[in-house]
Amino acid sequence: MTMWLIILVAVLAAFAAGTVYLTVAVGRFGLIKKLSGDKKWLKGLISFGIITIIFAALVLLTSVVNAIIILLSSLMFFLIYGLIFRIIRAVRKKEFACNWAGWLSIATSVIYLCTGYYLCFHIWQKDYHLTTDKNIGKLRIAMFADSHLGTTFDGEGFAAQMERIMEQSPDIVLLPGDFVDDSSNREDMVRACEAMGNMKPKYGVWYCYGNHDKGYYGDEHRGFSADDLASELKKNGVHILEDEHETFDNLTILGRRDKSDSGRAEMSELMKDIPSDSYIIVLDHQPNDYANEAAAKADLVVSGHTHGGQLFPVTYVGEWFNINDRTYGYEKRDNTDFIVTSGISDWEILFKTGTKSEYVIIDIN
């Protein structure tokens, strides 16, 4: 919570300072100078008015969060090009006839944000190949997290992705959290649960809760409760694990309560009754208990939550604050394999500039 408070304060401070800087930067365009008669106060007023109108339009088209992201992204390039062209002007000792810094900032911002939009909405397949000495033969796992229904696709869009995943013929499907969000609606939730019910892999579909799944703002906000979600999942054959495990065919699936759940059990406690020769797969939404999971001798731990770092240049802020053990990808500690996915969708933000959306296929031999 402390980390998010620090980030919120930093973002708001950057937003305020950025608005001031952008007001000055926009005032350097020739048209603004002409309209203001180069009067400083009028130039600032016109520039601020333009920024305010653009920001309001972005809020209406997207959301407050996305409008702030767009403004801060643009600010980043105005700062970069502003510095570059200040150095160039000092060297050539002559002003430019055109506001190249401003135009390049706008062009780069558009390219950057369009690329981020594509990386968020387009979904790739990420493959991993692991080995084990335990007797499980060949096992193909499909794993995805952070669908946050309603952000980049609705229930039908989710169903289309489930069909795509099943084309890979997985033996088992794992969903380590944040299936839904506070912005999800009941219709999409029901349709998505039906889509998972239609998958029917050999060993079923397994799920653990993420920090958003049970909702932050009350049942009326999204039109369904945590109990409604659990009921629809179970009705469609999805196995929900809350600090529980099931063992079959020398394979154990263990699902942990989310870190935000005060009732969450310690990893050592959860492993007590699991046969040591069983291949143990742990679903843990937040990747931040690696030491205990490796010490407990789990074979594979799959997580989401980080969204792969989401936005450049703050991609690894979770690791910098020691909140996450890993932001994205594969890591091995002792004999435990850890995989963090960037997520099949996203919470609220419509851009991924530090990563891309994906589902994961894991082949184990």
Side-chain angles (χ1 to χ4, degrees):
M1 186 59 72
T2 301
M3 182 194 79
W4 290 115
L5 183 60
I6 291 171
I7 291 173
L8 176 62
V9 170
V11 168
L12 292 176
F15 178 71
T19 302
V20 173
Y21 182 87
L22 284 175
T23 298
V24 175
V26 170
R28 296 192 181 111
F29 285 97
L31 179 60
I32 308 299
K33 289 181 177 180
K34 187 178 292 186
L35 288 172
S36 65
D38 225 8
K39 294 176 183 175
K40 194 171 182 180
W41 68 270
L42 185 55
K43 184 164 58 175
L45 187 62
I46 294 171
S47 300
F48 183 74
I50 291 171
I51 292 169
T52 301
I53 291 168
I54 292 173
F55 183 78
L58 290 171
V59 170
L60 291 173
L61 289 170
T62 58
S63 68
V64 173
V65 171
N66 284 290
I68 291 173
I69 293 296
I70 292 168
L71 185 142
L72 291 179
S73 299
S74 300
L75 170 64
M76 176 173 66
F77 292 112
F78 269 96
L79 287 169
I80 291 170
Y81 284 114
L83 177 61
I84 290 172
F85 277 87
R86 177 170 290 187
I87 294 170
I88 293 172
R89 279 197 305 272
V91 172
R92 74 195 295 258
K93 296 177 181 174
K94 184 180 178 181
E95 289 291 334
F96 290 94
C98 176
N99 183 15
W100 288 110
W103 288 114
L104 283 170
S105 299
I106 291 173
T108 308
S109 297
V110 170
I111 294 169
Y112 171 82
L113 290 164
C114 286
T115 302
Y117 186 87
Y118 179 75
L119 292 173
C120 186
F121 278 75
H122 187 76
I123 298 168
W124 281 261
Q125 177 176 313
K126 175 68 175 177
D127 296 302
Y128 293 95
H129 300 274
L130 308 178
T131 59
T132 180
D133 294 330
K134 293 184 176 179
N135 185 24
I136 58 168
K138 291 184 178 180
L139 181 70
R140 169 165 278 200
I141 300 169
M143 187 267 283
F144 66 94
D146 302 293
S147 44
H148 293 279
L149 280 177
T151 303
T152 61
F153 46 63
D154 58 11
E156 288 298 332
F158 179 90
Q161 294 303 322
M162 296 306 101
E163 290 178 4
R164 181 182 169 192
I165 289 172
M166 283 309 295
E167 290 175 0
Q168 302 304 312
S169 302
D171 299 305
I172 189 169
V173 175
L174 308 177
L175 170 49
D178 280 359
F179 168 48
V180 294
D181 203 339
D182 285 288
S183 60
S184 305
N185 63 54
R186 185 183 184 91
E187 182 182 357
D188 287 339
M189 181 272 288
V190 171
R191 179 67 186 96
C193 289
E194 290 172 352
M196 285 195 288
N198 291 332
M199 296 180 84
K200 308 211 183 298
K202 178 180 178 181
Y203 294 126
V205 180
W206 299 80
Y207 164 78
C208 74
Y209 288 101
N211 56 304
H212 285 274
D213 286 313
K214 294 185 179 182
Y216 284 112
Y217 305 118
D219 303 344
E220 67 283 350
H221 184 79
R222 59 185 184 179
F224 63 91
S225 66
D227 289 340
D228 294 332
L229 172 60
S231 176
E232 289 296 329
L233 287 167
K234 289 175 182 176
K235 185 167 75 176
N236 286 282
V238 177
H239 304 269
I240 303 173
L241 297 175
E242 292 191 272
D243 282 352
E244 300 165 297
H245 73 269
E246 289 194 33
T247 300
F248 46 86
D249 288 0
N250 217 38
L251 184 66
T252 295
I253 310 298
L254 190 159
R256 303 193 69 181
R257 294 177 185 268
D258 185 64
K259 184 193 174 188
S260 61
D261 191 325
S262 60
R264 172 174 158 115
E266 293 294 328
M267 190 64 194
S268 56
E269 184 71 23
L270 295 173
M271 294 284 282
K272 276 183 178 177
D273 301 321
I274 299 177
S276 59
D277 61 343
S278 177
Y279 187 85
I280 304 162
I281 301 174
V282 177
L283 284 72
D284 190 2
H285 178 63
Q286 300 190 40
N288 51 31
D289 199 23
Y290 278 19
N292 290 322
E293 287 162 343
K297 301 189 186 310
D299 292 287
L300 171 64
V301 180
V302 294
S303 303
H305 184 65
T306 65
H307 298 180
Q310 187 76 46
L311 297 169
F312 175 84
V314 295
T315 305
Y316 296 101
V317 69
E319 290 180 47
W320 298 339
F321 281 89
N322 294 316
I323 299 299
N324 302 315
D325 288 319
R326 189 169 186 85
T327 300
Y328 175 74
Y330 172 80
E331 181 176 335
K332 192 178 186 75
R333 294 197 184 185
D334 297 330
N335 292 315
T336 303
D337 296 308
F338 294 89
I339 293 175
V340 182
T341 177
S342 59
I344 200 168
S345 182
D346 198 9
W347 168 85
E348 184 68 24
I349 300 171
L350 303 177
F351 309 96
K352 284 185 175 179
T353 55
T355 184
K356 59 187 180 183
S357 296
E358 68 179 24
Y359 64 86
V360 174
I361 298 295
I362 307 167
D363 285 303
I364 304 174
N365 293 307

